[in-house]
Amino acid sequence: METELSKRLGIEHAIFGFTPFPAVAAAISRAGGFGVLGAVRYTAPDDLARDLDWMQEHSGGRPYGLDVVMPARKVEGVTEAEVEAMIPEGHRRFVEELLTKHGVPPLPEGEASGWRITGWMEHVARSQLDVAFDYPVKLLANALGSPPADVVDRAHDRGVLVAALAGSSAHARRHAEAGIDIVVAQGYEAGGHTGEIASMVLTPEVVDAVGPLPVLAAGGIGSGEQIAAGLALGAQGVWLGSIWLTTTEADLHSRALTAKLLAAGSGDTVRSRALTGKPARQLRTEWTDAWDDPDGPGTLPMPLQGLLVAEAVSRIQKHGTEPLLGTPVGQIVGRMTSERSVQQVFDELTRGFERAVDRIQRIAGRSGS
């Protein structure tokens, strides 16, 4: 699965694996792909430095990257406390009543929420970059559009390529104008924040819009055959995220959540604003149903929704409250039916890719005879 981009980065397979887990990212790089560590959960620079130290020791000398979340619009001079003060009391009551209904206990005294939306704030992302640029990261990806121009320049000065996710060809063209090196065409099927266009339509549109910039196909990809399809549409690689959630190296902190993912079908996800305030594909649960119910208060815009639900999400995860327990995940969850190591996933992907290529070659041979 070599392409011009994979050769440029010195990787065997043009598979870019996004994950919040250092052990998964390192295993992806060791397997011949390109591991990309998600940084949004690192609100303390020392924690990110600790895990990048670990990545350095366990990636086998292979290249890896970092994914940050820098909002397209910067809000100056507003503190987290001031943002939290904007949350209506009615929404706070709704959250507490929903947790009470399902018997979710509070966090132990003195224990803080393990997930905070502060990772979406630009000053936090910049502190992450201050740490990351002390390490030999080869790629910086941004999930909320193009990073600020000074960040792009800073990365380029260090020889770091910059990628940005796009949900439409218009988004992709803006990335190209901003000096982005790689565009990730993320289709509607993907986990997390997505647009409205499916991968089969989006990928060739983005390829046409930004060529010769390399494009990675993303969304709904979890087999070698689908990788072959992405490359056939003009992509120079694929960006996979959801498929790693049920690998043995992943650390979901909940066997109940792993079980839900393994049991879910491709129709068991929903695009909901329940987690962050922006449409994000995730497992459909009684939590998402409650927020999407027209009789409820409705979700708040980003970042208010994320601040509102941060502690609730931590409580649900800590106590494994099954009806409410969920995670961002794409429609590919229907293929995630067993726990496998990252290497086993790669083995299946490469075998599937070879089958697809052989099949197309046979078809082409017959049609040309």
Side-chain angles (χ1 to χ4, degrees), residues 91-130:
H91 281 72
R92 295 187 187 277
R93 285 195 302 272
F94 179 78
V95 169
E96 198 54 45
E97 289 168 0
L98 185 56
L99 296 176
T100 300
K101 174 184 175 182
H102 289 275
V104 184
L107 293 174
E109 187 174 351
E111 182 173 328
S113 166
W115 178 83
R116 296 292 287 169
I117 201 66
T118 48
W120 297 86
M121 295 182 175
E122 184 176 333
H123 73 277
V124 176
R126 286 184 178 273
S127 71
Q128 294 165 349
L129 295 180
D130 290 339

Side-chain angles (χ1 to χ4, degrees), residues 186-211:
Q186 179 168 286
Y188 171 86
E189 308 96 323
H193 297 109
T194 69
E196 302 282 348
I197 305 172
S199 299
M200 185 63 72
V201 175
L202 179 66
T203 301
E205 285 187 354
V206 171
V207 169
D208 289 344
V210 302

Side-chain angles (χ1 to χ4, degrees), residues 304-343:
L304 298 182
Q305 182 70 15
L307 288 169
L308 169 66
V309 306
E311 182 178 324
V313 170
S314 291
R315 288 167 61 181
I316 293 165
Q317 292 175 345
K318 182 177 184 64
H319 298 290
T321 309
E322 198 276 340
L324 303 179
L325 193 61
T327 184
V329 69
Q331 291 180 327
I332 198 63
V333 70
R335 295 187 66 94
M336 297 156 51
T337 57
S338 64
E339 291 184 81
R340 299 162 292 168
S341 69
V342 168
Q343 184 61 62

